[in-house]
Amino acid sequence: GKLSKKTLREQFKDYRFVDKDKHLDIELSYADELYLLRLTVADKVTPGTIQSLVQDMKRRNIPKGVAITSTEFTPDARKAAAGRR
């Protein structure tokens, strides 16, 4: 389904800005599933960003995650993420 602004506001669980890693983590519950959204402002998303996201998902017991950027993913980051869908 489509997320409305109201639904999105109601579903946010937690957020954290991690300055040293240049990303913002948002916990979101949608359709009874918990997601970890990682918004990154790094020059390029690297495999380390993907690996860190997966580790944080495991540590926080969050089954689904999404990396979002306004830049681009390196080819190696795409490979690291491809097997995790």
Side-chain angles (χ1 to χ4, degrees):
K2 191 173 179 180
L3 284 174
S4 70
K5 287 182 185 178
K6 181 180 176 188
T7 302
L8 196 56
R9 277 193 307 267
E10 292 171 352
Q11 300 303 317
F12 279 116
K13 297 295 183 189
D14 188 17
Y15 68 91
R16 296 175 191 168
F17 181 71
V18 184
D19 187 45
K20 68 181 177 82
D21 295 326
K22 297 183 180 181
H23 67 260
L24 173 69
D25 282 349
I26 299 173
E27 287 185 21
L28 172 71
S29 176
Y30 178 69
D32 294 325
E33 294 195 84
L34 195 56
Y35 292 80
L36 180 57
L37 308 179
R38 177 153 294 171
L39 292 74
T40 179
V41 295
D43 292 333
K44 291 185 179 182
V45 177
T46 64
T49 302
I50 304 300
Q51 293 165 352
S52 173
L53 172 60
V54 170
Q55 288 172 355
D56 287 344
M57 289 167 53
K58 287 178 182 176
R59 183 177 50 78
R60 294 157 73 175
N61 199 28
I62 299 175
K64 296 191 177 201
V66 178
I68 302 169
T69 185
S70 61
T71 60
E72 61 185 58
F73 290 80
T74 65
D76 288 338
R78 287 187 185 128
K79 288 178 189 174
R84 305 203 181 267
R85 294 180 186 195

